[in-house]
């Protein structure tokens, strides 16, 4: 029993503002709900006409029908909605869909109307979807709570849509229908005053009729409640997410790490870490959920794809697109190639992709042999419909493959559409173009890989000792890092130039001399860092060039090597977010940064380096020192654990240098503490 059953599985429904006048919202909604198998009551306080089925109140409608509506659908002005829902709740209604606009999105009095509606939810416990939404669709219940034309004609099926926008909900529902995929539940959230995306996802987790979920996100105000719902759902069914807002830079903290972590990127990071498959547009979203509603691979970090093509050119497009996305298309073993030689002409290419030359009568056996290769986990087939050469759909349906199949079928429009629908009904995802086929395969691969990353997160057992509240200087920040097992340079704090000269004698050259001032985060910008000092004369010259400072920090200078930026900041919605980027300006100019929510698993931390465009700099390219992956993973997990301390707002190591032995050393560190008055609150907005 779901908390949202009254909304999505009501026994009876009432339409507030129902009308007999064509063109009015209440008339369109009543028409859409006409197919609902339970009682559908019409309420119109302005023009009641019980003889024609229009009642002045929900109570009178309930008395006439002998049942109280679980769900009321409000098609009335914003100014009267709150009072109407309070009255409906008083007679037993447990859920409401509020379609009208004119609430917070409109500003002015709209904010007051939304506040009044919020108070009704608080006082009565009624669950509200909306306001400002075109509704929801549950075809398997013949429940079309939508005023959009044609929505009631949508067929039931295995895919659910959870969209921030009612318009996007309907657009995706119609696109899925065009792809031959039916809808289990389609929900447009609107203003999300009460019912949120996380609520709907939790409802779907208990629905055995759902095979895949399309998630459209505009904002992620729920933060970790949303990702927890995704994580719970992906245990059972795949989730594909489209996040809007790529160009929104947002307002971030002062550090490099904060400047790089846009809200769009953090939201995508959070959903991916929770197990969702990410897509960039609505076309890929439809392709991905179409495939995942029919096939789900076992957990696998890098599934291998076997390709069979009856036309070389389109096969090359499919192969190129998969490989450009990092999908593995491995060579076939010799045994497989030998078997294929016995089935195909000598001039064809036989080592993945397998080119049959044109549709071949041996296609069924070719597909079976490729699927049986030990390196193959998914077999994808491209072909044009050429009935005189081979019955392509029959050949694919007859194949007894060792792996799931994905088909890409082209040809005359109506014939190809019928073929794709028939193959889909047989459990074979079928696309119309190589690009769509690639999107389907990538979704299967990414979903399988996501489940290999699920392991226990790592948190610190003993929190490090933190400085007292207030600004933290570099030396104190590095002491915290050292307590976490992160290597820092040997250094001395010096109160005056004489102490700096003594430190040079003790440490030996070369050394780095820095001003030690907790109020100055970027010391190089003010001339507060002098490097390569070997002699006392050089030290005197350096001190003259440096600005005044309460103290000096003298450190042993580290050997040259590649540099990274590592940091953790407290996002206002998702809480602690960990970032790893290339050192210098590359991370800022190229956006070369990998993000994760903290805390995180060792697998997730280990994978962050592989996501950098500049990763080869740190893996030994052109003689560069390869980083010790275990040491880097330790640094990432340590910073993530540090963020678990409520007092920490942000910590950044910039740069983190790779040493000749592969170890890493924190050459500079910034630690920002939260105001004690801000601690203890939720990170979810």
């Amino acid at each position: 029993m779901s908390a949202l059953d009254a909304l999505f599985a009501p026994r009876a429904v009432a339409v507030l503002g129902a009308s007999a006048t064509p063109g009015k919202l209440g008339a369109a909604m009543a028409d859409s709900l006409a197919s609902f198998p339970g009682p559908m009551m019409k309420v119109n306080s302005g023009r009641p006409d019980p003889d024609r089925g229009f009642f002045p109140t929900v109570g009178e409608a309930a008395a006439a029908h002998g049942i109280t509506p679980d769900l009321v659908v409000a098609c009335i002005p914003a100014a009267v909605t709150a009072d109407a829902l309070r009255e409906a709740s008083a007679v037993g209604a447990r859920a409401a869909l509020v379609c009208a606009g004119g609430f917070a999105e409109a500003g002015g009095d709209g904010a007051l109307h939304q506040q009044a509606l919020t108070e009704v939810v608080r006082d009565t416990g009624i669950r509200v979807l909306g306001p400002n939404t075109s509704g929801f669709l549950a075809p398997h219940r013949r429940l079309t709570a939508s005023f959009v034309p044609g929505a009631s004609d949508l067929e039931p099926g295995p895919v659910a849509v959870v969209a921030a926008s009612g318009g996007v909900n309907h657009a995706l529902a119609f696109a899925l229908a065009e792809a031959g995929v039916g809808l289990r539940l389609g929900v447009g959230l609107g203003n999300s005053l009460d019912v949120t995306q996380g609520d709907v996802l939790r409802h779907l987790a208990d629905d055995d009729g759902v095979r895949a979920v399309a998630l459209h996100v505009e904002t992620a105000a729920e933060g970790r409640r949303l990702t927890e719902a995704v994580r719970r759902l992906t245990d059972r069914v795949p989730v594909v997410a489209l996040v809007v807002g790529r160009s929104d830079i947002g307002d971030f903290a002062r550090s490099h790490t904060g400047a790089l972590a846009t809200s769009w990127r953090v939201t995508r990071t959070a959903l991916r870490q929770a197990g969702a498959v990410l897509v960039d547009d609505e076309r890929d979203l439809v392709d991905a959920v179409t495939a995942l509603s029919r096939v789900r691979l076992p957990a696998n970090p890098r599934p291998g794809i076997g390709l069979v093509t009856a036309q070389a050119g389109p096969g090359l497009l499919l192969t190129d697109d998969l490989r450009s996305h990092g999908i593995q298309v491995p060579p076939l073993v010799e045994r497989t190639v030998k078997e294929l030689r016995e089935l195909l002409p000598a001039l064809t290419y036989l080592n993945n992709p397998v080119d049959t030359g044109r549709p071949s009568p041996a296609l069924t056996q070719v597909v079976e042999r490729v699927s049986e290769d030990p390196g193959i986990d998914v077999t994808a087939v491209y072909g044009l419909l050429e009935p005189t050469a081979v019955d392509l759909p029959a050949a694919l349906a007859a194949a007894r493959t060792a792996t799931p199949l994905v088909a890409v079928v082209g040809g005359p429009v109506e014939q190809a559409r019928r073929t794709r629908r028939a193959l889909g009904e047989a459990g074979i995802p079928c696309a119309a173009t190589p690009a769509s086929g690639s999107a389907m395969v990538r979704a299967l691969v990414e979903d399988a890989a996501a489940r290999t990353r699920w392991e226990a997160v790592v948190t610190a057992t003993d929190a490090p000792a933190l400085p007292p509240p207030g600004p933290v200087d570099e030396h104190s920040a590095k002491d915290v890092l050292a307590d976490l097992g992160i290597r820092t340079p040997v250094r001395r704090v010096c109160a005056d130039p004489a102490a700096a000269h003594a430190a040079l004698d003790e440490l030996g050259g070369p050394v780095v001399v820095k001003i030690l001032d907790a109020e100055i985060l970027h010391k190089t910008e003010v001339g507060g860092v002098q490097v390569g000092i070997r002699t006392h004369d050089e030290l005197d010259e350096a001190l003259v060039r440096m600005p005044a400072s309460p103290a000096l920090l003298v450190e042993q200078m580290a050997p040259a090597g590649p540099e990274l930026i590592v940091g953790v900041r407290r996002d206002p919605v998702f809480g602690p977010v960990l970032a790893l980027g290339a050192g210098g300006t590359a991370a800022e100019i190229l956006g070369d940064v990998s993000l994760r929510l903290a805390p995180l698993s060792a697998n997730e931390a280990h994978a962050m380096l592989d996501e950098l465009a500049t990763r080869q700099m740190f893996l030994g390219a052109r003689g560069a020192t390869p980083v010790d992956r275990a040491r880097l993973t330790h640094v990432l997990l340590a910073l993530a654990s540090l963020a678990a301390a409520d007092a920490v707002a942000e910590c950044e190591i910039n740069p983190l240098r790779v040493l000749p032995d592969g170890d890493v050393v924190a050459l500079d560190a910034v630690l920002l503490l939260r105001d004690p008055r801000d601690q203890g609150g939720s990170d979810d907005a």
Side-chain angles (χ1 to χ4, degrees), residues 430-458:
C430 191
T433 66
S436 289
S438 175
M440 287 185 172
V441 172
R442 295 194 321 263
L444 299 180
V445 168
E446 290 169 21
D447 174 66
R451 280 172 287 133
T452 67
R453 299 191 300 266
W454 292 347
E455 60 173 283
V457 300
V458 178

Side-chain angles (χ1 to χ4, degrees), residues 12 29 45 96 122 154 175 178 248 304 322-323 380 420 436 459 488 521 556 578 621 660 667 675:
M29 185 63 75
S45 60
R122 180 197 64 201
L154 290 166
E178 175 68 17
D248 179 20
L322 288 174
R323 285 180 168 158
R420 289 192 292 271
S436 289
T459 55
T488 60
L521 297 181
Q556 283 184 343
L578 184 68
L667 299 188
D675 188 312

Side-chain angles (χ1 to χ4, degrees), residues 636-656:
L636 292 167
L637 292 174
L639 279 193
S641 295
L642 177 63
D646 200 35
V648 175
E650 183 174 346
C651 184
E652 178 187 282
I653 301 172
N654 181 21
L656 181 72

Side-chain angles (χ1 to χ4, degrees), residues 220-226 228 570-576 643 646 674 676-685:
E222 294 179 88
R224 304 219 178 198
R225 287 190 291 271
L226 173 60
E228 288 165 3
R570 195 170 293 275
D571 184 87
V573 172
F574 286 102
D646 200 35
R674 300 174 77 185
R677 293 170 294 182
D678 297 331
Q679 296 176 32
S682 170
D683 288 306
D684 285 345

Side-chain angles (χ1 to χ4, degrees), residues 25 29 73-75 97-101 103 129-135 145-147:
L25 176 62
M29 185 63 75
V73 181
C75 301
L97 164 64
V98 179
C99 297
F103 289 87
L129 177 63
N132 188 33
T133 177
S134 49
S146 162
F147 52 80

Side-chain angles (χ1 to χ4, degrees), residues 49 124 179 211 214 246 265 283 285 400 503 514 631 684:
D49 188 346
T124 68
R211 294 288 302 276
R246 183 192 304 263
R265 297 181 78 160
R283 295 164 299 182
L285 180 61
R400 298 294 178 259
K514 306 177 183 181
R631 290 301 304 163
D684 285 345

Side-chain angles (χ1 to χ4, degrees), residues 558-565 581-584 609 614-627 655-665 667:
E563 294 182 346
L564 292 154
I565 299 173
L609 181 63
T614 52
R615 59 189 174 275
Q616 292 303 326
M617 290 174 54
F618 310 101
L619 297 175
R622 296 195 175 187
T625 302
V627 68
L656 181 72
R657 181 170 292 175
V658 181
L659 298 174
D661 62 358
D663 199 358
V664 289
V665 60
L667 299 188

Side-chain angles (χ1 to χ4, degrees), residues 308-314 343-345 348 354-367 381-396 408-412 415:
V308 178
T309 179
Q311 284 81 25
L343 296 170
L344 294 171
T348 58
V354 175
D355 178 18
T356 67
R358 62 173 302 199
S360 165
L363 182 63
T364 297
Q365 295 98 308
V366 169
V367 171
V381 183
Y382 178 88
L384 293 175
L385 293 174
E386 298 185 49
T388 58
V390 65
D391 184 341
L392 182 62
L396 294 179
V408 184
V409 174
Q415 186 180 354

